[in-house]
Amino acid sequence: MEPTVGIWREVVDRLTPVPKSVRDEFLALRPTREAHAAAHAAIAALRQAEVHQSPTSSSSDTIRIAAWNLERCLYPEAAARILQRNRVDLALLTEMDVGVLRTGQVHTIGRLAAKSHKSYCYALEFLELLPMPPPQGFPSNGSVNTEGFHGNGIVASLPFENPVVIRLDEMADWFTAPMGSQRRIGNRMAVGVTVSAGTSRFVACSVHLENRTDGNGRATQMHTLLDALDAYAGSLPVVIGGDLNTHVGPGGHGDASEPLFAMAAARGYDWA
């Protein structure tokens, strides 16, 4: 059976849909780790990167990079305006819905990128098996998820290439022991690309670590991520941004309960 941790490089115009009938079959499976692993292996979208390239326009000598957890992205147009107002060239985005009832069935990262005239790369973290209602007064556009995709991505006005999907260690069980009504198939992950800025090239990575674990669990995920980025980036510089779900201590760099900061520093990374 295919592992849930690893690196995948398949690039598509659109993530392979999972029909509702198949999602219903997944939902009816016995809640076991074996059932989750089999379903995970059957979902092609978990190993794909969806890419849409727009004409790039950034020519500044400096690059502004933002990391933002958009919490499912209820308001992609407003988010795009904020990125434009702050002159962000490269946005590392987490928690982006596509075809999910709770966000009005919108392709959130696609709409955000179109509104800000940027390219995007998107990858799937979880397939949501159950619909969740949107906030009161927000349009639902139906009663079930049309796609059920929830993931992370990159939006950029700079050219990029070679997208990579990095799936991380499962430190919490969202299938057999879901939180609330969030029964899901998938695991935490990162998406990376190689960015060109003038004559320079670097790797940009958007990552979301597990909140339902402790610092050692997140450190395990960070170790897997850094190993994967070493293999992918070679000698290129690397920028990592996203939602690490850490508990930051008084010193601002986390305490002993979050060893991923020291681990990254030992691997040559700085943090601010």
Side-chain angles (χ1 to χ4, degrees), residues 1 34 51 82 86 100-101 115 135 154 156 161 201 211 218 228 257:
M1 189 172 293
E34 292 76 15
V51 174
I82 290 172
N86 288 279
V100 183
L101 180 69
K115 183 69 176 179
I154 297 171
E161 60 186 358
R201 299 171 76 239
N211 64 305
R218 284 182 284 274
S257 68

Side-chain angles (χ1 to χ4, degrees), residues 73 98 130 183 206:
C73 196
V98 171
L130 290 170
R183 194 172 186 202
S206 174

Side-chain angles (χ1 to χ4, degrees), residues 68-75 79 83 93-96 112:
W68 194 0
N69 181 329
L70 277 160
E71 299 180 342
R72 305 169 184 169
C73 196
L74 275 165
Y75 306 103
L83 294 177
L93 306 176
T94 47
E95 292 201 28
M96 305 293 287
L112 186 155

Side-chain angles (χ1 to χ4, degrees), residues 115-189:
K115 183 69 176 179
S116 55
H117 309 290
K118 289 177 170 59
S119 302
Y120 76 82
C121 177
Y122 177 73
L124 182 61
E125 184 169 271
F126 291 108
L127 176 68
E128 304 285 352
L129 297 179
L130 290 170
M132 296 177 67
Q136 187 173 3
F138 195 87
S140 59
N141 295 326
S143 59
V144 299
N145 299 329
T146 57
E147 299 283 353
F149 289 165
H150 180 69
N152 307 316
I154 297 171
V155 171
S157 58
L158 300 161
F160 61 77
E161 60 186 358
N162 300 329
V164 61
V165 177
I166 303 168
R167 306 213 69 85
L168 305 175
D169 312 78
E170 289 187 74
M171 290 296 158
D173 187 344
W174 289 90
F175 181 71
T176 69
M179 179 182 289
S181 61
Q182 288 184 274
R183 194 172 186 202
R184 304 158 142 183
I185 295 170
N187 53 316
R188 302 296 184 184
M189 47 74 66

Side-chain angles (χ1 to χ4, degrees), residues 214-233:
D214 58 12
N216 290 328
R218 284 182 284 274
T220 296
Q221 292 181 323
M222 178 62 80
H223 187 275
T224 296
L225 176 65
L226 297 182
D227 282 352
L229 288 173
D230 281 350
Y232 170 77

Side-chain angles (χ1 to χ4, degrees), residues 63 65 90 158 193-197 200-204 236-239:
I63 301 169
I65 302 174
L90 179 71
L158 300 161
V193 295
T194 300
V195 181
S196 297
S200 300
R201 299 171 76 239
F202 66 95
V203 170
L236 292 178
V238 178
V239 175

